[in-house]
Amino acid sequence: MADTAATNDLPQESGEEAADYSGPKYHAQQKVLCIDTNNNTSDDAFAPLYEAVIRKSELKYIDPTTQKILPNRKRGRGRGRVGAATVDALDQNTNDLGTGLLQEWCHHVHFNGWNSRWDRWVTERDIFENTIENRKRLSENSGKVARSQPKQKEETKKRKRGASTTADNDAESSSSPLNRNLQLITRACELPFTLQTVLCDDRDNIAVKVYPPPILSASCSSKQQQRRNNKKAITMLHVIPAPTSIVDLMWQYIQTKKQEDLETFANYHRRLQRDLSGNSSCSDGGVGEESSMDVILTKEDLKMNKKKRKEFALSILALVDASLPLFLLYAEERDQFTKLMAQFAKEDDKQSDNDHQTPKRQPSHLYPAEYLLRLFVKIPYLLSEFDLKKNNPASILLADEKTQDFARFLSELIVFIQTRVDECFAGNYQALEVDD
């Protein structure tokens, strides 16, 4: 209400109509439905709506010709204020508008599920009550996490790339199955909100530095030494080796799904025997499990499913070992990785002298499940940029059956991890002092 009181004290300038000081129609933190004013080209009565939340409300000037919100006229220096030349230009624009200048209540809205860069000021004409009738106009993208960049940036990239030649068009048309397979894997890699939260919290714990309060001690020899101590920052790093590594997680996944396949196989044949005996009305609850997955008819299907799942697990572990040093580490973690891998390499060499069958430990044997989530985000990029360019005949994207199996098991693994969040993500961190 402080902003409202401050606005009411503003003097009314000559040539401006009286503002509506009766108060805003909507209040802060209210859930509403809003039009995307930047992309709306149709009539407001038929424009799609988006779920939004009111952040704050202010009285703002409206251009009567374009119905656009004019910027605040602030003088002085500092962040968020415009210079004198800009204010003069705005004053000249205000004088040119004549007596049609109005002050209306405007609201700063945040679209649910979208990045804060999409937040904007809108008038009350673009906001609708969150009612059942208005929710029929919800857009398909309402509430979804915004992954695409604004249209203006996309058009800029297209101009930089330039017009494609006929040979490039032919190459794109011939690689359409590859694009289709890549899209299938990209959809399978999408993380649910629970795992997105884990990934964001892990990034904040590692990338965000924490500064403890300054220490003023008489024992310090000089002020320069005190200043040096006060510049120490604390960052968090994962405890390596992790109690539950990526290899351990994949082993649990294989064993759990193997047991589920056996139960599905047994339930199917038990129900089949009951149908043959004429007692099909009885059910033990196994049919519901079979309807949600491919029915395993024979033992050969059971063995084939086990073999494909094992190959998928080995592919994931190979991707982790190859991509973790290059793509899955934050800048704060690279020194730790270099030191630990050198230390473990020496230990492995000593053990190999005694036992030649002892394999060397890879990153997948040492790092926790948080790095597996980082891999899921990078899988489409890794397969499209490296696997295909190396002309690997065993590439996943070159065969439709391999792509479908990989996408199916990948979605299955993500659901497995989501149902065991507390077990998979222990959150074992260690504090490390770094210089600012």
Side-chain angles (χ1 to χ4, degrees):
M1 300 301 295
D3 296 339
T4 305
T7 311
N8 292 337
D9 295 338
L10 293 175
Q12 183 176 343
E13 299 182 5
S14 59
E16 298 176 358
E17 295 185 8
D20 181 12
Y21 296 108
S22 58
K25 183 178 178 181
Y26 307 97
H27 56 80
Q29 304 305 324
Q30 181 178 353
K31 296 180 179 180
V32 295
L33 303 178
C34 184
I35 295 175
D36 184 8
T37 55
N38 283 5
N39 299 327
N40 182 30
T41 57
S42 60
D43 187 9
D44 290 349
F46 304 98
L49 300 179
Y50 295 82
E51 294 180 341
V53 178
I54 303 292
R55 292 303 189 197
K56 56 183 177 179
S57 305
E58 289 183 8
L59 280 170
K60 289 184 174 293
Y61 290 100
I62 306 298
D63 190 337
T65 57
T66 61
Q67 296 299 319
K68 291 185 177 181
I69 302 175
L70 298 177
N72 290 337
R73 297 180 292 179
K74 296 181 180 180
R75 293 183 180 273
R77 299 179 180 177
R79 186 176 182 180
R81 297 180 178 271
V82 297
T86 307
V87 175
D88 294 341
L90 181 59
D91 291 339
Q92 181 63 33
N93 186 25
T94 302
N95 295 331
D96 294 341
L97 293 176
T99 60
L101 192 62
L102 290 174
Q103 268 189 315
E104 295 183 7
W105 280 105
C106 300
H107 305 274
H108 195 253
V109 298
H110 169 74
F111 295 97
N112 292 344
W114 291 76
N115 193 283
S116 58
R117 69 171 181 269
W118 298 93
D119 296 359
R120 60 174 60 92
W121 286 96
V122 296
T123 61
E124 291 189 344
R125 293 186 299 273
D126 301 323
I127 303 177
F128 296 84
E129 295 284 349
N130 190 7
T131 61
I132 298 177
E133 186 66 23
N134 291 334
R135 291 186 70 87
K136 296 179 181 179
R137 295 171 50 188
L138 278 179
S139 171
E140 296 180 355
N141 295 326
S142 179
K144 293 184 178 180
V145 177
R147 295 178 180 271
S148 60
Q149 295 180 343
K151 292 183 177 180
Q152 187 176 5
K153 291 186 178 180
E154 292 180 358
E155 294 175 356
T156 304
K157 288 186 176 180
K158 289 180 181 179
R159 287 196 298 267
K160 289 182 178 180
R161 286 196 299 264
S164 60
T165 60
T166 306
D168 294 334
N169 292 334
D170 295 338
E172 290 180 0
S173 61
S174 62
S175 63
S176 57
L178 296 178
N179 295 333
R180 184 174 62 251
N181 293 339
L182 183 60
Q183 291 176 2
L184 181 62
I185 293 180
T186 302
R187 289 193 297 268
C189 290
E190 293 181 355
L191 298 178
F193 180 76
T194 307
L195 299 184
Q196 290 182 19
T197 304
V198 173
L199 197 60
C200 292
D201 292 343
D202 179 60
R203 178 201 61 192
D204 294 340
N205 290 333
I206 295 175
V208 177
K209 297 179 181 179
V210 179
Y211 294 88
I215 301 175
L216 300 178
S217 175
S219 60
C220 295
S221 58
S222 62
K223 292 184 178 180
Q224 184 178 4
Q225 183 67 24
Q226 291 182 358
R227 194 179 300 110
R228 188 180 300 110
N229 294 337
N230 294 337
K231 285 186 177 181
K232 293 285 185 180
I234 297 177
T235 185
M236 308 296 290
L237 295 177
H238 282 281
V239 176
I240 307 297
T244 303
S245 64
I246 298 176
V247 172
D248 298 333
L249 177 61
M250 298 302 296
W251 173 254
Q252 295 175 9
Y253 159 73
I254 292 176
Q255 294 301 316
T256 302
K257 291 304 175 181
K258 176 184 176 181
Q259 185 65 29
E260 291 180 1
D261 288 348
L262 290 173
E263 294 176 359
T264 303
F265 178 77
N267 290 335
Y268 172 76
H269 286 278
R270 190 181 303 116
R271 183 171 64 89
L272 185 60
Q273 291 178 358
R274 288 176 179 174
D275 292 343
L276 294 176
S277 63
N279 191 17
S280 59
S281 59
C282 298
S283 176
D284 61 350
V287 180
E289 297 178 0
E290 295 167 9
S291 60
S292 62
M293 61 182 69
D294 295 335
V295 178
I296 302 175
L297 302 177
T298 63
K299 292 184 178 180
E300 287 72 17
D301 296 335
L302 193 65
K303 293 180 180 179
M304 182 59 66
N305 208 28
K306 176 183 176 181
K307 179 182 178 182
K308 289 182 177 180
R309 188 177 286 114
K310 185 176 180 180
E311 292 177 352
F312 163 76
L314 293 176
S315 300
I316 292 295
L317 295 178
L319 284 173
V320 170
D321 296 335
S323 61
L324 189 141
L326 301 176
F327 303 103
L328 307 185
L329 294 176
Y330 296 112
E332 294 80 3
E333 300 174 308
R334 297 194 178 279
D335 290 340
Q336 181 196 35
F337 173 81
T338 304
K339 294 177 182 178
L340 288 177
M341 294 308 296
Q343 175 185 349
F344 290 133
K346 292 181 180 178
E347 296 177 359
D348 294 339
D349 291 339
K350 292 180 180 179
Q351 293 181 1
S352 61
D353 294 339
N354 300 328
D355 186 4
H356 297 283
Q357 297 180 355
T358 303
K360 292 185 177 181
R361 283 176 287 185
Q362 298 294 332
S364 57
H365 295 81
L366 305 173
Y367 280 81
E370 284 84 355
Y371 294 83
L372 193 59
L373 298 184
R374 302 184 195 180
L375 176 69
F376 292 157
V377 179
K378 292 286 187 180
I379 279 181
Y381 171 75
L382 295 175
L383 294 181
S384 60
E385 293 295 328
F386 295 94
D387 202 17
L388 285 179
K389 289 184 178 180
K390 291 182 179 180
N391 296 324
N392 183 9
S395 175
I396 298 173
L397 298 177
L398 294 179
D400 293 342
E401 184 179 358
K402 285 185 177 180
T403 302
Q404 294 173 4
D405 291 338
F406 189 87
R408 177 166 63 94
F409 291 128
L410 184 59
S411 301
E412 187 181 72
L413 176 60
I414 291 177
V415 173
F416 173 81
I417 296 175
Q418 184 185 11
T419 57
R420 294 165 175 80
V421 172
D422 295 335
E423 301 175 11
C424 298
F425 307 103
N428 292 328
Y429 296 92
Q430 59 182 355
L432 179 66
E433 285 190 356
V434 294
D435 293 330
D436 190 8

